Amino acid sequence: MSSPLDSSTSETSAEPRDADVIPLGDRHAPQVSTLLPRAQAGDPQAMNDLLQHVTPLVMRQCQRVTRRHGPDAAQEAMLAIYRGIHGLREPHAFYAWARAIAVREAVRTHRRLGDFAAEDLPDLVQDTNPMAAVHISDVLDRLPDHHREVLTLRAVYGLDEREMATALAVPLGTVRSRLHRARRTFHDAWHQQSA
């Protein structure tokens, strides 16, 4: 298992992981590559099937980012997917596109409805030292919001820099500088606390 602030984790594959592929009820789901062009052409059944297919993925992504406001974020993400489906040109990018929208809307919803706080973070340390999790949460609570956001999106949710830029609606360079400064600030605060 990697460190909570390890920058080497990222999943950029456009194809969904097995856990992200959800069958449509009891019937066999047509491929996204078949549904997407039909939905874009105005077929309401194809749009419905596509949205039903992606809903569990969107719900999980939103719930991971904002526990308290997951359903609200998922609703916003589903509306954004519905409205933006006509602009998606590559069927193979559908899952990555939907994930990016879900994360972006979850961050927006969380900002609108509540602050990032340590209690929103999943358990970062699940080994024998429960005090380490308390110390990590304490240090994160003392960071500025924009630093806490990038560290949380990277370390807890495993987003790469491009995904974070999309989720936060900021340029890639801004994400890189925030991440660098956030790591430095976290490191300094961590060592101050242990001294």
Side-chain angles (χ1 to χ4, degrees):
M1 180 173 241
S2 63
S3 160
L5 298 179
D6 184 12
S7 64
S8 65
T9 59
S10 70
E11 185 173 311
T12 57
S13 171
E15 291 300 314
R17 290 170 285 169
D18 289 339
D20 291 338
V21 178
I22 309 298
L24 294 173
D26 294 333
R27 59 196 163 110
H28 294 279
Q31 294 291 329
V32 169
S33 59
T34 304
L35 287 174
L36 184 58
R38 290 179 31 217
Q40 289 174 323
D43 180 346
Q45 185 60 47
M47 179 66 82
N48 188 46
D49 288 348
L50 193 61
L51 292 175
Q52 283 181 350
H53 177 73
V54 78
T55 297
L57 172 116
V58 169
M59 289 292 292
R60 277 193 307 277
Q61 289 297 116
C62 291
Q63 195 66 32
R64 287 176 185 155
V65 175
T66 175
R67 288 183 181 178
R68 281 183 250 158
H69 308 297
D72 293 328
Q75 182 176 358
E76 294 297 324
M78 293 303 292
L79 283 170
I81 290 169
Y82 175 79
R83 291 177 182 142
I85 199 80
H86 298 290
L88 182 64
R89 300 200 194 316
E90 298 294 327
H92 69 275
F94 177 74
Y95 291 103
W97 176 76
R99 257 194 297 271
I101 289 174
V103 170
R104 182 189 70 217
E105 293 302 326
V107 168
R108 284 182 182 169
T109 301
H110 197 80
R111 282 182 177 170
R112 189 177 74 242
L113 299 177
D115 295 330
F116 272 92
E119 65 267 9
D120 290 335
L121 298 175
D123 294 331
L124 295 176
V125 178
Q126 298 177 359
D127 59 354
T128 59
N129 187 357
M131 288 308 294
V134 171
H135 293 304
I136 290 171
S137 293
D138 181 52
V139 171
L140 284 173
D141 282 342
R142 290 185 278 139
L143 295 178
D145 287 344
H146 60 281
H147 286 176
R148 188 171 38 250
E149 287 172 357
V150 294
L151 285 178
T152 302
L153 291 174
R154 168 68 107 196
V156 179
Y157 303 110
L159 299 186
D160 66 24
E161 291 169 347
R162 291 189 191 285
E163 291 170 326
M164 286 191 285
T166 301
L168 298 171
V170 297
L172 183 59
T174 302
V175 167
R176 288 180 176 153
S177 66
R178 283 183 187 176
L179 193 55
H180 173 75
R181 289 184 185 118
R183 285 180 178 144
R184 189 176 64 219
T185 305
F186 183 92
H187 181 269
D188 293 346
W190 182 263
H191 288 293
Q192 265 183 352
Q193 182 175 354
S194 64

